[in-house]
Amino acid sequence: MEAHEKGFFTEENSVEVVTGRNRNAKSERLKAVMEVITRKLHEAVKEIEPTQDEWFEAILFLTRTGQLSTEWRQEFILLSDVLGVSMLVDAINNRKPSGASESTVLGPFHLADAPELPMGANICLDQKGEDMFIHGRILDTEGKPIAGAVLDVWQANDEGFYDVQQKGLQPDFNLRGVFRTDADGRYWFRAVKPKFYPIPDDGTVGKLLHALGRHPYRPAHLHYILKADGFETLTTHIFDPDDPYINSDAVFGVKESLLAEFKSIDDPARAKGLEFAGPFWEVEHDFVLARDQG
Ligand code: BEZ
Ligand code: FE
């Protein structure tokens, strides 16, 4: 009898032997997922034909990626981000009705306990960067304003770092705030013009990007989580369309509809009203939330 007839593992029958061994899996979903993963993984290995050294290098890469991950740093999520997997999972899980604002990656720098601020507050606490006034409305897909919607915003400072990356150097909760829309669904606050910055690139993911001839930069953006009763929560960004990295985001988060307009305003009277010393940037951007499905 040949090896494969006895059910022993061979190069040819590798997928069937492994997936057959999973037939008593406790969950049908797990069994189905592992069937696909085994099939695709074996296909990749058969096409790549790694040497033993190459395979061990891959194992060391994954081991190191795990070792770098802590409560504060998640190197595996970063790996998923630069491989385009995070945006793919986001796209599959956020198929929106037409008219609703699109989502993008959450990223690792959100804080759940940022302070709720009065409308108009300046979220920039380190006095660095170019002043910016941001305003707009939160609407439903029929264009009606959503009153009492919660807008949670965060961004990097003028040097390209989030407050949590520079504890002690930046004030706590610098460039973060939670606002609640008024009866007309309006929001407005002050901040500074964001800048492009590199994703953490001193670990395995940074090495991989370097080896692939890729840069680690994300184009300038503000992060938002928008919540309102009866509506789906939206995790998204707005981007500066003139950023040098707008067409090459390291984590593939840019979508056409997330490009905002950053207008340069030189109007001393308006600047004074906003308590800015001189010219400033203005961004007007509406968000549209989809109604809850369930
Ligand atoms: C961010 O925009 O904060 C981010 C997203 C993905 C990976 C790293 C950072
Ligand atoms: Fe970011």
Side-chain angles (χ1 to χ4, degrees), residues 180-230:
R180 217 172 268 271
T181 55
D182 69 8
D184 297 325
R186 291 191 185 280
Y187 71 87
W188 65 97
F189 61 93
R190 291 167 295 157
V192 289
K193 191 166 191 267
K195 287 228 178 98
F196 61 80
Y197 66 83
I199 61 169
D201 65 343
D202 56 345
T204 47
V205 170
K207 277 212 188 84
L208 179 64
L209 290 181
H210 184 73
L212 292 171
R214 282 170 57 176
H215 69 72
Y217 292 99
R218 298 214 65 207
H221 57 272
L222 286 103
H223 290 256
Y224 292 95
I225 296 178
L226 304 170
K227 290 185 181 176
D229 286 345

Side-chain angles (χ1 to χ4, degrees), residues 126 155-162 166 170 174-175 195:
D126 65 359
Q155 65 166 97
N157 77 348
D158 195 52
E159 284 150 15
F161 293 101
Y162 289 85
Q166 292 191 314
Q170 287 189 43
N174 189 30
L175 292 162
K195 287 228 178 98

